[in-house]
Amino acid sequence: MCIYITLNYLFLTVCLCVHVFFFFSVPTVPQQVSLSPNLETQQLTLSWLGGESTTFDIMILRTELNETVFYETVSVTADKISGQHQWNWTSVEPLECTSLSVQIRSRDGQTTSDWSDTHILPGMDLPSNKDSQMFPQDRVVSVGTNTTFCCIVEEGLGFGSIRYRDLVMNVTRLSRRSYAMTQINQGPSGVTGTNVFCSSDEKTLLNGAVVFVGYPPLPSDLVCETHDLVSAVCQWNRGRDTHLYGKKRKTYYTLNGRYFTHTHTHTFMKWSACSLAQWDGNFTLVARNLLGQYSLTDSSELSLRVRPVAPANLTSVVRAWNATLLWQWKHRGYDSLALICQRTFSGVGLRSVIVLDLRPDEDYSIKVRCGVQQNFWNWGDWSGPLAFRTSIDIPDAPDVWMWIERDNTGRLMWKPLTHRESHGQITGYEVTLWSPDENIQHTETLPQSICTVPINLTHISTTGSSSNKVIATVIAKNAAGVSPPASIVMPLRWTDIDPPAVSRTAYMDGGFPLSWQSDANASCGYVVEWHDASCQQDCAVEWIKVAAENTNISAQSENFQPGVRYTLSLYSCSSEVPQLLQRWEGYMEELVPSSSVPHLSSNQQDSNIKLSWGEIPLVSRRGFLLGYHIYLNNGSQLMLLGKYFKSEVPSLYTLTLVVFSTEEPSPHSMVHIVEEPEWDSSKEALVVIPEEDEDEDETGDEPVDTDEPTSLRYYNQVIDDRPIRPRFPDSSASSASSLDSARTDVTYTGIQTSGNSLGFQLQPQGSSEGQQPQIDVPASCVDGGGGYRPQMQPGSLKPQPTKGASFGGYQPQCSWHLDSPVEAEESGGLAPSLGSPTSVASTQFLLPDSGSKEQPEGKGQGSSSATTWFHNLLSSAKP
């Protein structure tokens, strides 16, 4: 290169050309390259001599396919002594998977040396290794890491797939025979590790590998204590499961540098323990496995960490109400050690205690454990159980009560003593009756199976005694002696003549809640007694004693049954005869009655039908009766005539019907008892309306019969007028007298008229006299075209004309107002209603007033709907 220099000297310009030569230094080619693989860590160590260079290019290729695996520039400083450069590379794939070629060159800025000679790390896929192989084998890795597996296919076979567990993986071809796949974020393995399989293209298993995925150890809670006051026992929580098992992979521990091949392990509690022969105030635990290690420390003085051993050789001295326990200690140091033992016993060298509050004739099993009284650290181990049975003792006093019948007979009763009250096997009872005025007594011994005795109070009162009471005393006996006496004062005559008013009580929360005012005479408290209210003789009586300061209880019994009425009585307890203070009645659960009303009968009075019935037996009511429903039954449905609360229904009930213009058999009336405690009387009731208050237009221009007394019209205000279907099939025969069955029917079998009068004649259906039910209508009604005269024959529902006989009495007019059920439906009335047929000065049905208008004379007289309606009302025949 030529550089021109201009010199200006003495006004003489001289140009010189100077040739300058630059010399550049070329980096040294790396020499003595060597490769050192670590197959376990998949790390390849490269070493070389590279002169003064500190920067090198490194290139690693898969030899067979000449694919670049790594190509980067790295900085490496030479060792000052040996002058060697060394660098480590970690392979993603196991180093055995395929052969790798390595080259290195030095770099100085942009100047590089030539590449070193190629050095090859041979893989296991060389043609000389013909068998199938898989790598890595038995690798231990941490949870969450990624692991690459490779399969080298046997020479001559084709590759199929690699499966991780049961999952087929995506693979990368590394060489002619080698294939690799990577499982990322691996989860913990099972006890035997995780399996990886390699198969040929013919689905033949070629080879496999196992990987163990787990955690490094993470123990906690190291605590050291002494049991014998000399040695140390340390325990710790092993922490999470490492998922690494087997001799090579499990966790090992050292305590204060001492290696423990065996530790006391509690598998389910995850606790381990080991011992040191001498107490050392400072303790260090190190836990190790193939994935790492963890250390814990603890320190303490021996006197602060004493946990006693279990008491040994327990024995006992047993009595009725207590027992003495004795035991021994296996370490002499305990003789001077202040101990506290459960059940709250304390003392120096404690080795015996008295256990109080036991019960006679009971089996017990007792264990003992102790702790240090001063500087209490922890309770020691429990001893083995010691079983014993306490001695017997005299029984408790029986719980005594009485029951007086109306015939002045009575019973003295007491509750059988329970095992806890008897204190041993009861051998019998002793009952004494004592008259305090005459100082006369009678004693009787009874076996243990008897807990009630009858007492004839009338006999006692007629034996010359002037007293009006007798004192009954009961004592119980067992092998240890007799119980304290239990006494009660019994009256010699029936005293429940004027009982208090009965209140109702509702069962709740397992009993009948009862409360009362405090009574000054109840010096020894109260007695609450209960029994089945329907019982009349030899009743099963239960009772409970109540302390004087209490004025409320819940009467509870396992014997309470649904549908049974119970009478509960409160008596005061004193030195005299118990006094009845209050009485209740109630049901555990109310049920529907089990039978219908008994003795339902009917009585005809002119145009009225009078129904009467008897009381339902108390045992059949199964609840408090609220009232009655009265229905008409036309064979296919039930029609409500009225609903009555029990307090509103007299013993006789009058059903007033107007009889007429029908063809079909009349229905049967029947009475049902219903249970509807929440019925709203404002929605459905019978309203009584005097006839004189009715609309004058209703009777039209017809003459009024002034001989008939004023009667009342009843309108049944029904909100829900849906028909009720009969729940029982009708029988073929009904009785006009009483029927005691699930439903009671009243049959109207005859209708007779005389002149202008209408009346009912009640006859049993199918009577032996062979009378035929018939309907007679005045001749004037037939002649005037206002109606017809049907005659009903047995077995036939078609009326036959007949001539009317003359009878004295009221003569109705022929122009009726008739609203049949069909007409009511057509007019939007309350279907299926009977309507409101009217006659001059007659009474109304117990049915709603449909507000019907006058019909043209003769319209309804031959109507089939009208005749069907009336025939369904009165016929005795069953459909």
Side-chain angles (χ1 to χ4, degrees):
M1 180 171 47
C2 182
I3 298 175
Y4 290 91
I5 302 174
T6 301
L7 299 178
N8 192 354
Y9 180 70
L10 297 177
F11 307 105
L12 180 64
T13 301
V14 178
C15 291
L16 299 176
C17 179
V18 180
H19 291 272
V20 179
F21 296 92
F22 294 90
F23 297 94
F24 294 93
S25 176
V26 178
T28 304
V29 176
Q31 301 294 323
Q32 301 181 15
V33 176
S34 66
L35 305 178
S36 300
N38 186 329
L39 302 180
E40 182 66 26
T41 61
Q42 299 179 187
Q43 192 175 77
L44 181 62
T45 300
L46 286 69
S47 61
W48 66 93
L49 292 175
E52 300 299 325
S53 297
T54 59
T55 303
F56 302 89
D57 292 339
I58 298 178
M59 181 171 59
I60 303 175
L61 301 92
R62 296 189 185 106
T63 304
E64 190 171 324
L65 299 181
N66 201 31
E67 292 177 342
T68 301
V69 178
F70 180 85
Y71 184 16
E72 288 186 10
T73 300
V74 298
S75 297
V76 181
T77 303
D79 183 81
K80 294 182 179 179
I81 299 175
S82 64
Q84 272 196 335
H85 295 78
Q86 185 172 300
W87 180 78
N88 296 324
W89 172 70
T90 301
S91 173
V92 174
E93 297 91 9
L95 296 177
E96 302 96 327
C97 292
T98 189
S99 299
L100 298 175
S101 299
V102 179
Q103 287 182 304
I104 306 172
R105 68 180 179 185
S106 302
R107 175 178 289 276
D108 185 6
Q110 297 300 319
T111 304
T112 61
S113 69
D114 293 333
W115 287 102
S116 67
D117 295 336
T118 299
H119 289 71
I120 297 176
L121 178 69
M124 298 300 294
D125 59 346
L126 296 176
S128 59
N129 298 323
K130 297 181 179 180
D131 295 336
S132 63
Q133 301 176 75
M134 196 161 191
F135 301 99
Q137 288 287 333
D138 300 332
R139 180 69 55 84
V140 177
V141 298
S142 296
V143 172
T145 58
N146 305 335
T147 302
T148 299
F149 299 85
C150 70
C151 174
I152 300 175
V153 181
E154 181 179 346
E155 193 72 56
L157 295 180
F159 172 77
S161 64
I162 299 178
R163 286 180 294 130
Y164 186 92
R165 291 194 174 110
D166 292 327
L167 182 64
V168 177
M169 307 298 294
N170 295 324
V171 298
T172 300
R173 189 169 192 175
L174 305 181
S175 68
R176 179 178 59 88
R177 294 170 52 204
S178 184
Y179 298 84
M181 71 84 180
T182 301
Q183 176 63 38
I184 64 173
N185 193 24
Q186 295 174 99
S189 299
V191 175
T192 59
T194 302
N195 294 318
V196 185
F197 305 99
C198 180
S199 302
S200 69
D201 55 357
E202 298 178 353
K203 297 185 178 179
T204 302
L205 180 64
L206 297 176
N207 216 316
V210 179
V211 61
F212 298 92
V213 187
Y215 297 97
L218 189 64
S220 62
D221 305 323
L222 174 65
V223 176
C224 297
E225 59 189 15
T226 183
H227 295 165
D228 58 4
L229 308 180
V230 176
S231 64
V233 176
C234 297
Q235 65 178 5
W236 59 92
N237 187 323
R238 298 192 302 274
R240 67 189 177 193
D241 186 358
T242 63
H243 292 270
L244 300 178
Y245 311 98
K247 188 174 182 179
K248 292 182 179 180
R249 293 172 291 275
K250 72 177 183 178
T251 301
Y252 290 88
Y253 300 92
T254 59
L255 181 63
N256 284 4
R258 181 180 175 183
Y259 176 74
F260 288 92
T261 56
H262 299 287
T263 60
H264 303 288
T265 301
H266 304 278
T267 303
F268 297 104
M269 297 180 61
K270 295 187 176 181
W271 284 89
S272 294
C274 61
S275 301
L276 293 175
Q278 192 69 34
W279 182 268
D280 187 343
N282 298 308
F283 303 91
T284 300
L285 176 76
V286 178
R288 294 184 179 89
N289 70 8
L290 294 178
L291 296 178
Q293 72 176 41
Y294 196 85
S295 299
L296 294 173
T297 59
D298 183 35
S299 61
S300 176
E301 297 180 10
L302 182 146
S303 61
L304 302 179
R305 295 287 182 89
V306 178
R307 184 172 180 264
V309 295
N313 303 325
L314 264 68
T315 58
S316 64
V317 178
V318 180
R319 291 168 287 273
W321 298 91
N322 58 68
T324 300
L325 298 182
L326 303 96
W327 62 86
Q328 295 177 350
W329 296 111
K330 67 179 182 180
H331 299 300
R332 292 184 178 180
Y334 282 38
D335 293 343
S336 58
L337 189 63
L339 297 171
I340 180 172
C341 298
Q342 288 183 323
R343 309 167 36 181
T344 318
F345 307 108
S346 60
V348 176
L350 191 66
R351 61 184 65 206
S352 68
V353 296
I354 298 178
V355 182
L356 303 176
D357 301 325
L358 304 182
R359 303 191 69 86
D361 197 36
E362 291 278 1
D363 290 318
Y364 289 92
S365 179
I366 291 185
K367 297 187 295 184
V368 179
R369 67 176 180 178
C370 302
V372 177
Q373 190 170 2
Q374 298 176 352
N375 300 320
F376 179 85
W377 162 244
N378 213 334
W379 287 111
D381 295 331
W382 285 106
S383 68
L386 173 67
F388 60 87
R389 187 178 184 89
T390 52
S391 305
I392 65 173
D393 199 4
I394 63 171
D396 291 342
D399 186 354
V400 178
W401 186 236
M402 64 176 180
W403 175 264
I404 307 298
E405 306 284 1
R406 293 182 181 270
D407 60 359
N408 288 332
T409 61
R411 283 184 291 153
L412 179 66
M413 305 172 292
W414 58 93
K415 295 179 181 179
L417 294 178
T418 65
H419 177 73
R420 290 199 124 194
E421 297 168 336
S422 61
H423 305 159
Q425 179 65 41
I426 296 296
T427 58
Y429 297 95
E430 191 174 276
V431 178
T432 300
L433 297 181
W434 174 55
S435 177
D437 294 339
E438 282 75 21
N439 197 22
I440 299 174
Q441 72 176 28
H442 172 73
T443 301
E444 186 174 351
T445 300
L446 302 172
Q448 57 89 19
S449 59
I450 301 298
C451 57
T452 178
V453 291
I455 299 177
N456 193 330
L457 301 176
T458 302
H459 175 74
I460 296 176
S461 63
T462 58
T463 56
S465 174
S466 60
S467 177
N468 62 353
K469 63 183 179 181
V470 63
I471 299 178
T473 302
V474 180
I475 61 174
K477 299 179 180 180
N478 68 8
V482 298
S483 70
S487 300
I488 188 170
V489 180
M490 301 182 67
L492 295 182
R493 296 167 187 83
W494 172 261
T495 59
D496 198 5
I497 300 175
D498 188 20
V502 179
S503 304
R504 289 187 183 179
T505 178
Y507 186 90
M508 61 179 63
D509 298 329
F512 290 101
L514 308 176
S515 61
W516 58 89
Q517 295 294 326
S518 177
D519 186 81
N521 296 324
S523 57
C524 58
Y526 305 91
V527 178
V528 175
E529 164 203 278
W530 61 87
H531 60 87
D532 185 344
S534 64
C535 178
Q536 300 296 327
Q537 193 76 20
D538 296 331
C539 302
V541 181
E542 296 186 66
W543 69 92
I544 186 174
K545 302 288 181 65
V546 184
E549 62 271 15
N550 292 342
T551 57
N552 61 82
I553 65 161
S554 175
Q556 299 180 344
S557 172
E558 295 179 352
N559 299 321
F560 285 143
Q561 297 294 326
V564 177
R565 183 182 297 186
Y566 293 96
T567 297
L568 302 98
S569 304
L570 174 70
Y571 294 86
S572 63
C573 175
S574 66
S575 59
E576 298 299 325
V577 175
Q579 298 297 314
L580 177 62
L581 302 179
Q582 200 165 338
R583 183 160 283 168
W584 300 267
E585 285 186 340
Y587 288 87
M588 175 187 177
E589 179 184 358
E590 295 193 57
L591 306 176
V592 296
S594 60
S595 67
S596 64
V597 292
H599 312 302
L600 176 64
S601 61
S602 62
N603 184 23
Q604 175 181 347
Q605 296 177 358
D606 296 330
S607 61
N608 296 333
I609 295 298
K610 184 178 292 184
L611 302 179
S612 62
W613 57 86
E615 287 285 342
I616 297 180
L618 181 59
V619 69
S620 300
R621 296 179 190 176
R622 307 205 299 175
F624 292 112
L625 295 186
L626 300 178
Y628 305 89
H629 278 181
I630 299 179
Y631 295 94
L632 285 181
N633 178 11
N634 67 1
S636 62
Q637 63 185 27
L638 300 177
M639 184 165 17
L640 179 66
L641 290 184
K643 177 190 292 185
Y644 304 92
F645 284 109
K646 188 169 182 292
S647 60
E648 299 172 349
V649 180
S651 59
L652 297 178
Y653 170 77
T654 299
L655 174 65
T656 303
L657 301 174
V658 176
V659 182
F660 55 93
S661 301
T662 64
E663 317 184 281
E664 299 185 7
S666 67
H668 307 289
S669 66
M670 67 181 178
V671 175
H672 279 277
I673 299 175
V674 297
E675 180 184 13
E676 284 190 44
E678 298 181 357
W679 177 70
D680 187 351
S681 59
S682 66
K683 293 183 179 179
E684 181 173 336
L686 292 180
V687 181
V688 180
I689 304 176
E691 278 195 348
E692 58 266 27
D693 294 340
E694 295 254 313
D695 190 346
E696 295 292 342
D697 294 335
E698 189 172 36
T699 59
D701 298 329
E702 303 294 333
V704 177
D705 185 353
T706 57
D707 293 335
E708 277 293 302
T710 302
S711 59
L712 299 179
R713 302 177 182 226
Y714 289 80
Y715 291 85
N716 193 18
Q717 297 175 342
V718 182
I719 300 303
D720 186 357
D721 59 349
R722 293 173 293 180
I724 303 175
R725 300 292 177 184
R727 292 176 292 176
F728 306 95
D730 290 331
S731 61
S732 60
S734 301
S735 173
S737 59
S738 65
L739 286 176
D740 249 334
S741 62
R743 46 180 275 182
T744 305
D745 295 343
V746 177
T747 305
Y748 309 101
T749 60
I751 300 177
Q752 297 179 349
T753 62
S754 174
N756 290 339
S757 67
L758 291 177
F760 291 96
Q761 179 177 353
L762 296 176
Q763 297 176 356
Q765 182 178 5
S767 62
S768 60
E769 290 80 10
Q771 296 177 351
Q772 300 176 354
Q774 52 184 325
I775 302 176
D776 294 334
V777 185
S780 59
C781 292
V782 177
D783 297 339
Y788 59 87
R789 301 176 58 189
Q791 178 174 348
M792 301 191 306
Q793 303 292 339
S796 172
L797 302 183
K798 299 298 182 179
Q800 300 296 330
T802 183
K803 294 184 178 179
S806 177
F807 293 88
Y810 165 70
Q811 298 185 11
Q813 306 301 313
C814 293
S815 55
W816 299 64
H817 295 268
L818 174 61
D819 294 330
S820 72
V822 175
E823 293 168 335
E825 274 188 30
E826 293 173 352
S827 62
L830 292 175
S833 165
L834 293 181
S836 298
T838 61
S839 64
V840 177
S842 67
T843 57
Q844 293 288 347
F845 287 90
L846 302 178
L847 298 167
D849 182 73
S850 63
S852 62
K853 297 182 180 180
E854 289 274 331
Q855 302 182 64
E857 201 173 53
K859 175 182 178 182
Q861 295 165 356
S863 168
S864 62
S865 63
T867 57
T868 300
W869 162 67
F870 183 72
H871 220 281
N872 284 342
L873 172 65
L874 298 179
S875 174
S876 63
K878 302 288 185 179

